[in-house]
């Protein structure tokens, strides 16, 4: 079955560390997105990519970086510059703007 | 700017109806509706496109008033499985109609009791 796979499901980061969250899709979707979810805040856009080798900053890109070297993959790196990284991170993809998003099952990142 | 959802929370008995509203200050291309269970990924329910329309999906339907930039989600004869948090996601005309990502509301918590 087609879908989006996020890994790991849970991730713990020490202060000053960079960590990378994986997002892989086999839906053949061009557009991919990273959202951050905090309690009571809804989903906020971190980065998005409409095509391979191209990506754009979203509303809260500071302290994060991404790459899009393959259509199927859109990894997110949470750098040490992100001061409050503890959150639930969701990856999504879409085939076009008239269709809904498919979300991955998320990665819960905790700073220890 | 985030769309505003109301109410923030609703508690219903099984079989009762609910309406969740989503209002934006921007001219919209589309409105998406998603349901999220605790700790899980949001699940797409439906999309309403510019032009003003209504859509239905089993006992869940929605409307989009383009002039007011408002959308409402209607849950009829609610079932226990409808419990969760409902989010609207909006795509403004100025954001490429959603190609630049959706802006989500803060969510409406729906609790269905037996």
């Amino acid at each position: 079955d087609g879908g989006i796979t996020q890994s790991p499901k849970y991730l713990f980061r020490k202060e000053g560390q960079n960590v990378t969250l994986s997002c892989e899709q086999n839906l053949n979707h061009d557009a991919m997105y990273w959202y951050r979810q905090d309690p009571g805040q809804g989903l906020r856009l971190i980065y998005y990519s409409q095509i391979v080798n191209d990506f754009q900053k979203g509303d809260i890109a500071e302290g994060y970086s991404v790459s899009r070297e393959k259509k199927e993959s859109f990894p997110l790196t949470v750098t040490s510059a992100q001061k409050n990284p503890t959150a639930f991170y969701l990856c999504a993809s879409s085939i076009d703007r008239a269709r809904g998003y498919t979300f991955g099952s998320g990665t819960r990142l905790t700073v220890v | 700017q985030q769309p505003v959802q109301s109410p923030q929370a609703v508690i219903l008995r099984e079989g009762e109806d609910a309406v969740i509203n989503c209002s934006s200050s921007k001219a919209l291309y589309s409105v998406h509706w998603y349901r999220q269970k605790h700790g899980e990924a949001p699940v797409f329910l439906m999309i309403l496109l510019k032009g003003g329309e209504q859509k239905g999906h089993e006992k869940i339907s929605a409307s989009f008033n383009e002039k007011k930039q408002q959308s409402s989600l209607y849950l009829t004869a609610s079932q226990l499985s409808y419990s969760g948090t409902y989010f609207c996601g909006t795509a403004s005309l100025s954001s490429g109609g959603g190609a630049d990502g959706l802006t989500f509301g803060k969510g409406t918590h729906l609790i269905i009791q037996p």
Side-chain angles (χ1 to χ4, degrees), chain A residues 9 33 35 37 40-45 48 50 59 88 90 97-101 103-106 108, chain B residues 2 29-30 32 34 36 39-42 44 47 49 87 96-106:
Chain A
K9 190 174 179 66
Y33 307 88
Y35 282 90
Q37 187 173 29
Q41 294 299 316
L43 286 72
R44 292 182 291 168
L45 183 63
Y48 63 95
Q50 297 177 16
D59 301 320
F88 189 47
L90 288 160
R97 63 178 189 166
R99 310 282 186 92
Y101 285 11
F103 282 89
S105 56
R108 191 166 297 279
Chain B
Q2 280 181 300
Y29 170 78
S30 67
H32 295 219
Y34 295 82
Q36 185 180 31
E40 299 180 6
F44 173 69
I47 181 174
L49 301 176
F87 293 98
D100 300 351
L102 299 177
T103 302
F104 286 89
K106 293 186 177 183

Side-chain angles (χ1 to χ4, degrees), chain B residues 28-29 49-53 64 66:
Chain B
L28 297 178
Y29 170 78
L49 301 176
K50 180 178 180 297
E53 60 175 338
F64 176 25
E66 185 183 349

Side-chain angles (χ1 to χ4, degrees), chain A residues 1-4 25-29 93 95 102:
Chain A
D1 285 341
I4 297 182
Q25 55 105 352
N26 60 2
L27 298 165
N28 201 33
H29 288 176
S93 71
I95 194 166
T102 299

Side-chain angles (χ1 to χ4, degrees), chain B residues 45-63:
Chain B
L45 295 175
M46 64 188 75
I47 181 174
L48 298 105
L49 301 176
K50 180 178 180 297
E53 60 175 338
Q54 275 192 291
K55 269 194 171 181
H57 179 260
E58 296 180 347
K59 294 180 182 178
I60 301 174
S61 61
S63 63

Side-chain angles (χ1 to χ4, degrees), chain B residues 10-57:
Chain B
V10 183
I11 301 175
L12 297 176
R13 294 283 183 193
E14 201 173 4
E16 293 181 337
D17 302 339
V19 180
I20 299 171
N21 301 302
C22 176
S23 180
S24 175
S25 59
K26 297 185 176 183
L28 297 178
Y29 170 78
S30 67
V31 179
H32 295 219
W33 285 99
Y34 295 82
R35 176 172 60 213
Q36 185 180 31
K37 303 277 186 179
H38 183 68
E40 299 180 6
V43 173
F44 173 69
L45 295 175
M46 64 188 75
I47 181 174
L48 298 105
L49 301 176
K50 180 178 180 297
E53 60 175 338
Q54 275 192 291
K55 269 194 171 181
H57 179 260

Side-chain angles (χ1 to χ4, degrees), chain A residues 41-106:
Chain A
Q41 294 299 316
L43 286 72
R44 292 182 291 168
L45 183 63
I46 305 172
Y47 267 98
Y48 63 95
S49 169
Q50 297 177 16
I51 196 169
V52 174
N53 292 322
D54 185 55
F55 48 83
Q56 305 296 329
K57 293 182 179 180
D59 301 320
I60 56 166
E62 186 176 350
Y64 300 97
S65 65
V66 294
S67 63
R68 186 85 187 274
E69 297 177 0
K70 298 185 300 181
K71 187 175 185 177
E72 303 80 22
S73 180
F74 191 39
L76 174 74
T77 296
V78 184
T79 74
S80 57
Q82 172 49 238
K83 298 306 178 188
N84 185 23
T86 295
F88 189 47
Y89 291 87
L90 288 160
C91 179
S93 71
S94 178
I95 194 166
D96 63 50
R97 63 178 189 166
R99 310 282 186 92
Y101 285 11
T102 299
F103 282 89
S105 56

